[in-house]
Amino acid sequence: MIGDSVYYIALSWAAVQTGTPSQAGVVMAVSAVPRAVLMLGGGVIADRFGPRRVVIISDTVRCAAVLAVAGLLFLTGPGLWPLALLALVFGTVDAVFLPAVGALPARVTSRGQLARVQGMRGLGIRFASVVGGPLGGLAVAVGGAAAAFTFAGLLIAVSVPLLISVRLRELPAGAATREGAGAADGAVDGAEGTGVSGAGCGGAGGSGGADAGTAGGGERVVGGGGGRVVRGRVVGRGRGAGAAGGGRVMGEGSGRVVRRGGAAGRNQVAGEGGRRVVRRGDRVGAVADSGERVVGEAGGGALGPGGAAWQDLVVGLRYIRRHRVLAPLMLAIALGDLGFVGPLNVGLTLLADERGWGASGMGWVLAGFGVGAGAASLLLAVRGRVPHAGHVMVYACLGGAVAIGALAFVPGVLAAVGVALLIGLLAGLSGALCGALLQTQADPAYLGRVTAVASLVSLGFAPLSMPLSAAAIGAWGTGPVFVVSAVVCGLGGLVALCARNLRRAELPT
C-alpha cells in the first residue's frame, strides 16, 4: 500500500510536468477506467484460479510495469505515452488484484479472526496514507519522477516474496455453511427447491449395488432410477444406496437428488430454476432458490454452466442478490460511499476555502478524521469481535450521517476538527464492520466476486459524486450539499436497519 501511494504521487507529478493539466487529468483517468470496467471480471478470475495465485501474479506484473517505466524515464526524456500506458496496465491489473486481495483473508485465517484482520487492514491503509505521501514527495524532490517510480517499484517488489510466503488454510468440510456442506454426489436439481443443507462431506453410505438406502434426514431413497416424494420432499432418484452424509434435500416436488453410490459431496449442485452449477475440485459453493447455501471449496469457486466466465459472474451476482445479509449490505455500502466521498474530498476543500480556514485548517480537519478512523480500526483489531455487530454498524452509520451534515455548520476550525474526529470514528467503525460482515457472511468460493462488487461501488461509482458535489456547492453552497450527502448516508443506515438479517448479524467468535 505504501508503494501504491508513492506510485500515484510519481504518476501525477510526472504527468503534470510533462503535459498540460487536462492531459495530466486524462493520464490519471486512464488508470481509473479499466479498474472500474474490469473489476467484476477480476472477481471471477480470483474465484476461478484462487486468490493467492492471482495476487502474486498481478503484483508481479504491477512491479515490472512500474520499474520498466522508471528505466525508460532514466534513459529517455519523459513523455505522456509511457505514463498513459503504465496507468492503463496498472489500472487493468488492479481490477484483478483488488478482488483477489479481498478474497485472501478467508483463506489464511479462521472465520473468528476475520474481523480482527479487517481492523488490521484498516490500520495498514491509514499507515500507508500517512507514510506514503511524504515518502513519495521526498523521492520526487531528490531524484525526480524516475527515482520515485523506482522507489515505488522496489516497495511493490518487497511485497511479492511476502505474498509467496503466505500459505492458504484448507477449508474444512462445511466451512461455508452454518448447517454443513454435504451435498449429494451427482447433482441436485430443483427449480422450486427450498434449500439444500447437510452435515458432512464424505458420506457414510455404501458404494453401490443396493436398490434402496437412507438419504440424509432419514428419508428412503429408492434405487434403480426410481424416486419418490415424502412429505413434500424429493427424496431421491438414481442408483445406489447409503446415507448421504447426514444431509437432506428439500424441494417442492420438481427437484431431484441423484445419488451415485450413496456417497456425498462431489460433483455438481444446481438449484436456480434447474440451472446446473458445475464444480471443480472437492468441495464447492452454490446458492439454492431460497438463498440457502450449498458450500465448500472448489479450486476455482462456484462455476457457471460449461465453466463460462460470464456464467460465473451471473452466478456470483445471483448469489449476492439472493443472500439475506449481503444484498442489503451492498446497498448500504453503496449509499454510504456515495454520500461520504463527495463531502469528505472536494467538499471539505471548498468548505475550508469558504470559511477561510486555509490549507493548514483543512489539514487539521483531515487529521482529525484520520485519527478517528484509525481508532475504529484499532478497536476492531484489538477486540477482534464487536458484540451485536449489525446493530452497531447501523447506528454508527446513522450517527456518522448526522455528523457529516453538521460539519458544514460548525463555527470554527477547532469544532470542525472535533466533528471530523467523530465522523472518522463512526464512519471508520461502520466501514470496518461492513467489511468484516462481508468477509464472514460470504461463502469463500464467492469472495472474489463479492469483493469485486463492493470495490466497484467504492472505486467506480462513488468517485462520481465528487464532480457532482463540486457543481452543487457552486450552485447552492456547502450547507445544503452536506445535508443532502448526510441524507444519502443515512439512507444506507436505514436500509441496514430495515434488513432484519443484517441488523441482527453477528461476527463469529
Side-chain angles (χ1 to χ4, degrees), residues 91-164:
T92 301
V93 177
D94 255 0
V96 180
F97 178 80
L98 293 175
V101 167
L104 199 57
R107 298 299 313 278
V108 299
T109 188
S110 63
R111 292 184 71 248
Q113 296 297 319
L114 285 174
R116 179 172 277 114
V117 171
Q118 191 69 22
M120 294 172 65
R121 185 182 182 189
L123 287 175
I125 292 173
R126 298 298 162 196
F127 178 78
S129 64
V130 171
V131 175
L135 287 179
L138 179 63
V140 169
V142 171
F149 277 125
T150 302
F151 185 42
L154 293 176
L155 287 172
I156 297 174
V158 172
S159 69
V160 175
L162 295 176
L163 290 170
I164 293 175

Side-chain angles (χ1 to χ4, degrees), residues 110-399:
S110 63
R111 292 184 71 248
Q113 296 297 319
L114 285 174
R116 179 172 277 114
V117 171
Q118 191 69 22
M120 294 172 65
R121 185 182 182 189
L123 287 175
I125 292 173
R126 298 298 162 196
F127 178 78
S129 64
V130 171
V131 175
L135 287 179
L138 179 63
V140 169
V142 171
F149 277 125
T150 302
F151 185 42
L154 293 176
L155 287 172
I156 297 174
V158 172
S159 69
V160 175
L162 295 176
L163 290 170
I164 293 175
S165 68
V166 172
R167 291 294 176 262
L168 299 187
R169 180 181 62 91
E170 286 297 330
L171 294 177
T177 177
R178 296 182 183 87
E179 297 181 14
D185 182 13
V188 180
D189 296 270
E192 301 294 337
T194 60
V196 183
S197 62
C201 181
S207 60
D211 289 330
T214 303
E219 302 298 340
R220 190 79 167 165
V221 180
V222 181
R228 60 196 181 90
V229 178
V230 179
R231 291 191 296 275
R233 276 185 283 183
V234 179
V235 178
R237 195 179 84 183
R239 186 171 179 79
R248 70 180 185 279
V249 179
M250 297 175 289
E252 299 292 338
S254 62
R256 71 181 185 278
V257 183
V258 181
R259 313 263 188 213
R260 296 190 184 119
R266 294 179 181 263
N267 283 352
Q268 303 166 353
V269 178
E272 290 100 24
R275 299 182 180 88
R276 180 157 299 176
V277 183
V278 182
R279 314 295 191 201
R280 294 188 300 168
D282 290 337
R283 298 179 298 276
V284 353
V287 62
D289 287 274
S290 66
E292 295 296 330
R293 289 174 290 176
V294 181
V295 195
E297 173 211 348
L303 306 179
W310 175 252
Q311 292 297 332
D312 292 357
L313 178 58
V314 171
V315 169
L317 294 177
R318 184 183 297 121
Y319 169 76
I320 296 172
R321 179 173 60 85
R322 295 183 176 182
H323 199 287
R324 296 188 180 96
V325 175
L326 293 180
L329 180 59
M330 287 294 182
L331 182 56
I333 291 173
L335 291 171
D337 283 344
L338 286 172
F340 178 84
V341 171
L344 268 296
N345 285 275
V346 63
L348 181 58
T349 303
L350 296 176
L351 179 64
D353 181 66
E354 179 183 287
R355 297 296 180 85
W357 296 343
S360 61
M362 185 183 72
W364 280 108
V365 174
L366 287 174
F369 168 77
V371 170
S377 296
L378 181 62
L379 172 67
L380 202 57
V382 171
R383 287 187 58 90
R385 181 179 183 272
V386 176
H388 311 294
H391 282 97
V392 173
M393 184 269 293
V394 167
Y395 298 127
C397 184
L398 293 174

